[in-house]
Amino acid sequence: MQIVGYEPGSPDEPATILVARNGAVEMQSLNPGTELEYGIDGRHCAGTVEKGRHDSCNRDTAPYCDVHSSVWPCARCRGDCAMPLETCYEEHAIYLAAFEPATFKVGVTRSWRLETRLTEQGARLAAHIRTVENGRTARQIEAQIANDIPDRVDVKTKIDGLDSVLDTDRWEALLDPYDVIETYAFEYGLSLDQQPIQTTSASGTVLGSRGRVLLLEKGETPYAIDLQSLVGYEILEGESESERQTSLGGF
């Protein structure tokens, strides 16, 4: 069996991992309370999934090799494409997003999927600050704003803030120069009283998910897993990871 993909968690839906077995693909919903008992083994390209069937690939590069990599066209374009692709002609939204305790980013997405994009990233608060006619213009404006506000936040930074409170004063000050079109606030149903340990694991009790971050509990210790880091791993049913002391109170 191999983990061949995932769907990020949102306030309304838990995250999901896609597990391939002999060409068939099963969706494993990561509802809070779910007990995962997978041991992870070797990792290689996850291949492709189409219409519920998995086309495997044995190339060593993970999660995807060059043949099977795919990136949203606007993510490749920095505003100077010679020939914009079809999606570039769609209306785009420029947004600001906030993560605890005081991490902010600027981003762009097609307008019709703005809220989805924000929850995919696990944003706590967000603001739609501008709408433009195409992706090229959006990327040019994003690049200008990125001189002051980063356009990327890595997953480790997001995980480091999961047990923190958002600095709303700094967020409001950040928004002050902009003509905000709409604001968003998201609750993911997570309550942590300690910093989770970042790891790569597929065993434990699901506490919840936030974007592509999965929270598991094992031995009374919370763990945070970047779901992207699981894609490509072969997995074994029944926990096979070595038992180890995880905290003063858990073994």
Side-chain angles (χ1 to χ4, degrees), residues 3-249:
I3 297 177
V4 296
Y6 68 93
E7 293 291 337
S10 73
D12 300 319
E13 296 290 340
T16 301
I17 55 173
L18 279 62
V19 179
R21 188 202 309 251
N22 299 324
V25 178
E26 304 172 0
M27 298 184 68
Q28 168 72 65
S29 182
L30 302 173
N31 288 296
T34 298
E35 296 288 343
L36 296 182
E37 296 184 347
Y38 295 120
I40 59 176
D41 202 359
R43 194 184 190 201
H44 57 87
C45 176
T48 59
V49 175
E50 187 174 357
K51 297 181 179 179
R53 299 295 299 177
H54 176 234
D55 183 12
S56 64
C57 174
N58 292 322
R59 294 180 178 87
D60 291 338
T61 306
Y64 300 103
C65 67
D66 291 343
V67 175
H68 295 111
S69 295
S70 62
V71 179
W72 175 46
C74 283
R76 296 196 300 265
C77 172
R78 304 309 299 183
D80 57 356
C81 299
M83 290 292 291
L85 298 176
E86 183 178 350
T87 54
C88 203
Y89 292 111
E90 295 184 56
E91 181 184 88
H92 279 59
I94 303 162
Y95 64 85
L96 300 177
F99 308 86
E100 298 92 341
T103 299
F104 312 114
K105 76 176 290 286
V106 60
V108 304
T109 188
R110 285 166 282 178
S111 293
W112 60 268
R113 71 182 312 274
L114 173 57
E115 191 165 343
T116 298
R117 180 59 181 153
L118 294 170
T119 58
E120 285 176 348
Q121 296 182 68
R124 175 67 182 84
L125 298 177
H128 178 189
I129 59 171
R130 191 163 173 183
T131 304
V132 295
E133 64 274 15
N134 58 59
R136 173 182 287 187
T137 302
R139 279 293 176 186
Q140 291 171 338
I141 296 170
E142 180 197 38
Q144 294 170 0
I145 297 174
N147 290 323
D148 301 310
I149 304 171
D151 59 1
R152 286 177 174 79
V153 177
D154 62 38
V155 173
K156 181 182 184 304
T157 299
K158 295 176 183 179
I159 290 173
D160 287 345
L162 286 177
D163 64 336
S164 304
V165 175
L166 187 68
D167 187 335
T168 54
D169 289 339
R170 289 184 61 180
W171 170 245
E172 293 297 332
L174 186 79
L175 295 185
D176 192 58
Y178 299 97
D179 294 324
V180 174
I181 298 169
E182 187 172 3
T183 59
Y184 302 85
F186 302 105
E187 295 288 347
Y188 297 87
L190 299 172
S191 179
L192 296 173
D193 56 11
Q194 61 178 295
Q195 174 66 40
I197 298 171
Q198 186 169 0
T199 188
T200 300
S201 174
S203 64
T205 303
V206 175
L207 296 176
S209 54
R210 179 169 168 177
R212 64 189 246 192
V213 177
L214 172 67
L215 275 298
L216 297 177
E217 185 177 59
K218 189 174 180 181
E220 300 182 1
T221 299
Y223 291 88
I225 296 92
D226 178 0
L227 289 172
Q228 181 76 6
S229 74
L230 290 179
V231 176
Y233 271 108
E234 297 286 345
I235 56 174
L236 308 171
E237 287 185 302
E239 184 180 345
S240 65
E241 299 169 24
S242 60
E243 295 295 325
R244 61 189 183 280
Q245 184 175 353
T246 56
S247 68
L248 292 176

